[in-house]
Amino acid sequence: MALSIINIHVNVTGTSTRFFNVLAAPLAITDGTTVAATTFLDDSGTAATAFPVVANGYYNLYINGVLQEGDAYTVSATEITFNTVTASLSAGTPIVLEAVELVTTI
């Protein structure tokens, strides 16, 4: 039996979209607190209407520049929901959501 060598080329590319919100008022966070997508601006400074639904990728949430734990929040097309978190954020606190979508081609 002859030896066969198979070359498989896999390319993974990603796109990243970021959304920015600077809190206009203090925000008390408890389990289930939401922040609407419509309160964010996108990378171009345009008001967001929805967050992208990421099927193959992940979201990163930064509050005041600090990356938050993945289990502390969930993201839907319309909002960010905080899970099992208790906190108080001051007015002027920046919130950044990054949606990363990965595409694999063979």
Side-chain angles (χ1 to χ4, degrees), residues 2 13 22 26 38 84-85 95:
T13 57
V22 176
T38 55
T84 65
V85 175
I95 300 174

Side-chain angles (χ1 to χ4, degrees), residues 2 8-9 12 17 23-24 30 36 38 52 54 60 62-63 66 70 73 76 81 98 102-104:
I8 298 175
H9 298 281
V12 178
T17 308
L23 293 176
T30 59
T38 55
V54 174
N60 285 325
Y62 299 87
I63 298 176
V66 178
Y73 62 94
S76 70
T81 303
E98 179 182 36
L102 303 173
V103 177
T104 304

Side-chain angles (χ1 to χ4, degrees), residues 14-52:
T15 59
S16 174
T17 308
R18 290 172 299 276
F19 298 88
F20 306 90
N21 178 345
V22 176
L23 293 176
L27 177 64
I29 298 174
T30 59
D31 187 29
T33 298
T34 62
V35 179
T38 55
T39 64
F40 285 77
L41 301 176
D42 65 16
D43 276 333
S44 64
T46 304
T49 57
F51 296 131

